[in-house]
Amino acid sequence: MGKGQGRNRKLSEVVAEQMLEEIKARGWPAGESIGNEAELIEKYGVSRATLVEATRQVESHGAAVMRRGSGGGLFVQGSAISASSRLLSTFLELSDVSIGEIYEAARILETESARQAARFADEDAVSRLRKLAEELSQTSDRVELHRKAMQLRFAIAETTGSRALTLMMREIARVITSYVRPDLNRGLRDRRFEHQVAADMLAIVESIVARDQWLADNHTRRDVDRREERARLMAVRQADLSGGPLLKESPSKLAEQTALAVRNDIAANGWRVGERVANESELPDRYGVSQWTIRQAIRMLELHGVVVARRGQGGGLFVGSPDPTFALESAVQFLDGDTLLSQSAPLVHRRIFESLVQIGTLRASSAQRDALVELASSSKPALQPFLEHIVAMSGNRVLALFAGISGKLISYEHSLDPAGLNAVAQAVAKFDAAYARRLLGDY
């Protein structure tokens, strides 16, 4: 399916896609210009208004930035990994995922990262991790402590050699930071919690040094549990993308800030899909911005399915159901051709689905279990609908996004084994979560 198929694509979106293709073709040369405003208007044969809208979309992906004035133009920013990470995390920030879903995904990714690091860390990695852990333990500034803890988690992921795992860790770290914002919530400082974070990270590193996968898993799980409990005590419910020390890539454009404000109002009202938000003409006064800014914000929200704009009589802006299609397809466009990333994706894909089926077995309704058995026992069973149903049973949309991106990065031929699918379905039907996980992993 082509990107955006099934919805009305604006010219600006098509142009933005062409700009991204050019950036990719050039090899993501950070700091290089792909043209000034006049050159880009001529190159793509569009009006200034369309070009501005297209460049705003490219900027929102973190792929490039438009600089004004003499010597200005559209300059490449970051890399394919950083741009795709920002795009996927932006979808999560604008959607209606819960803090529980976010930390459940973090627990799976971080424990896998710690276990793999305990297996593969060499002497250089051990020295680096211990150095970072020592720096963390000596840090008294609360913002610097959280930054160093984040850097240490990334370093552990990088030790695994899995680019796919590192990519997902970066996505989840950005989302967690945007929800918790310890750099902005200064009135909620908890020194005991900060000491526990440092102690947990030190314990994780020493478990990795000892090549003790079980202990590394245990300490990491405790660290994530502790952070999740802290977030719940803080009553965290929505993302905050305000500029600050821990979120330097926060939206600087007014349209992006407005999009988040609209999303937060939708969430505060219960996220009632299909409910009318307002006429587009009513929104400038509500949010104190121009009509043009509102249109840019709406377009961003539309791309991620957060809102639906309807024209004509009875039209207006309506609450939508967040859809990861645009984010997934764009991210795959950025990452296509990254061999190391594709090579590391299958193991991550397997681990995610092992977790999904285990979670889904415990959460699924009777109707969902019966439907899975029916899919597996069909005269013509198909793998994709079967896996999609397992994702739906889990109820975790963050893991669903990660399963989607890892699945799209994998290129392989898979022979269908109906007996294997049926065995998994039967284990789920019997509430045997551990065996269902084992069977799906083997499959």
Side-chain angles (χ1 to χ4, degrees):
M1 178 181 291
K3 190 187 298 185
Q5 185 172 321
R7 61 181 171 81
N8 183 30
R9 299 182 73 205
K10 293 180 66 176
L11 179 57
S12 60
E13 185 182 339
V14 175
V15 173
E17 185 177 329
Q18 291 172 346
M19 289 177 177
L20 292 169
E21 284 287 1
E22 180 174 349
I23 291 171
K24 177 185 171 184
R26 292 192 185 190
W28 292 84
E32 185 175 301
S33 172
I34 66 170
N36 59 37
E37 188 176 89
E39 292 168 341
L40 293 172
I41 288 173
E42 182 178 358
K43 179 187 293 187
Y44 296 108
V46 295
S47 67
R48 182 178 183 275
T50 298
L51 181 74
V52 170
E53 187 173 345
T55 55
R56 287 292 170 87
Q57 290 179 39
V58 174
E59 285 180 312
S60 70
H61 296 341
V65 60
M66 178 62 87
R67 297 173 187 162
R68 308 296 175 185
S70 178
L74 188 64
F75 290 83
V76 179
Q77 179 175 286
S79 64
I81 288 284
S82 63
S84 59
S85 178
R86 175 169 177 177
L87 182 61
L88 292 165
S89 58
T90 295
F91 166 75
L92 293 174
E93 290 159 350
L94 291 176
S95 64
D96 59 337
V97 298
S98 67
I99 196 71
E101 290 174 89
I102 294 169
Y103 275 101
E104 186 170 62
R107 189 173 295 106
I108 291 165
L109 293 174
E110 291 186 29
T111 53
E112 178 64 19
S113 175
R115 285 195 301 270
Q116 293 299 320
R119 286 184 61 193
F120 298 117
D122 57 19
E123 292 302 315
D124 288 341
V126 164
S127 296
R128 182 186 179 208
L129 294 180
R130 276 186 157 171
K131 181 173 184 284
L132 290 172
E134 182 181 358
E135 291 174 357
L136 173 62
S137 65
Q138 295 175 354
T139 301
S140 58
D141 180 80
R142 67 191 301 268
V143 175
E144 192 63 20
L145 181 142
H146 287 288
R147 179 187 290 110
K148 288 186 179 297
M150 191 185 305
Q151 290 173 344
L152 182 50
R153 294 184 189 106
F154 290 160
I156 291 171
E158 289 165 358
T159 298
T160 70
S162 171
R163 283 170 67 83
L165 184 58
T166 303
L167 169 66
M168 294 178 192
M169 287 277 289
R170 287 188 175 278
E171 292 163 21
I172 204 71
R174 176 184 165 89
V175 175
I176 286 177
T177 301
S178 70
Y179 272 72
V180 178
R181 295 312 300 270
D183 53 335
L184 300 182
N185 296 320
R186 296 183 178 276
L188 298 173
R189 183 167 190 179
D190 184 336
R191 293 183 183 275
R192 182 170 177 272
F193 168 74
E194 292 168 13
H195 289 312
Q196 289 171 331
V197 167
D200 285 342
M201 294 307 301
L202 179 60
I204 293 168
V205 168
E206 290 308 300
S207 301
I208 291 170
V209 172
R211 290 203 176 103
D212 192 328
Q213 295 181 55
W214 178 86
L215 200 57
D217 180 297
N218 187 57
H219 286 306
T220 303
R221 197 173 299 274
R222 182 175 64 183
D223 173 53
V224 179
D225 288 347
R226 208 188 304 277
R227 285 150 50 204
E228 181 178 10
E229 178 60 25
R230 174 65 177 159
R232 293 188 184 281
L233 288 173
M234 292 168 64
V236 173
R237 290 186 178 85
Q238 61 191 33
D240 181 350
L241 300 186
S242 305
L246 290 183
L247 216 58
K248 293 182 179 179
E249 292 183 354
S250 300
S252 58
K253 304 297 183 182
L254 187 55
E256 295 175 78
Q257 297 169 358
T258 304
L260 186 68
V262 174
R263 174 261 179 229
N264 287 345
D265 286 345
I266 289 172
N269 202 36
W271 209 292
R272 295 193 280 266
V273 176
E275 183 176 83
R276 188 172 179 278
V277 178
N279 275 330
E280 188 177 304
S281 60
E282 299 169 0
L283 296 177
D285 287 340
R286 181 181 298 183
Y287 294 100
V289 296
S290 69
Q291 187 71 43
W292 187 89
T293 298
I294 286 294
R295 287 174 181 165
Q296 297 299 306
I298 289 174
R299 192 59 187 156
M300 181 183 299
L301 294 168
E302 282 184 303
L303 289 174
H304 295 295
V306 177
V307 300
V308 177
R310 298 174 188 160
R311 311 300 175 190
Q313 187 175 7
L317 198 65
F318 296 81
V319 178
S321 181
D323 182 354
T325 302
F326 175 78
L328 279 174
E329 293 182 351
S330 297
V332 170
Q333 176 193 359
F334 296 165
L335 301 169
D336 183 41
D338 189 326
T339 303
L340 292 176
L341 187 66
S342 297
Q343 289 174 344
S344 64
L347 178 59
V348 178
H349 193 62
R350 173 181 173 176
R351 292 291 183 256
I352 290 173
F353 266 100
E354 286 175 340
S355 300
L356 284 168
V357 76
Q358 187 169 22
I359 294 167
T361 300
L362 300 174
R363 291 179 182 167
S365 65
S366 296
Q368 286 177 315
R369 296 176 201 281
D370 292 343
L372 189 69
V373 172
E374 186 175 344
L375 283 170
S377 58
S378 168
S379 59
K380 292 183 179 180
L383 181 61
Q384 194 59 32
F386 186 84
L387 295 179
E388 288 174 355
H389 194 73
I390 288 175
V391 170
M393 289 193 313
S394 76
N396 190 307
R397 291 159 293 182
V398 181
L399 287 174
L401 180 68
F402 292 153
I405 189 66
S406 61
K408 286 181 179 292
L409 291 172
I410 297 171
S411 177
Y412 67 98
E413 292 184 5
H414 195 291
S415 57
L416 186 65
D417 175 14
L421 291 185
N422 192 57
V424 174
Q426 292 301 325
V428 171
K430 295 174 183 177
F431 294 87
D432 195 339
Y435 199 47
R437 179 186 179 114
R438 175 190 176 96
L439 290 172
L440 188 61
D442 289 344
Y443 187 93

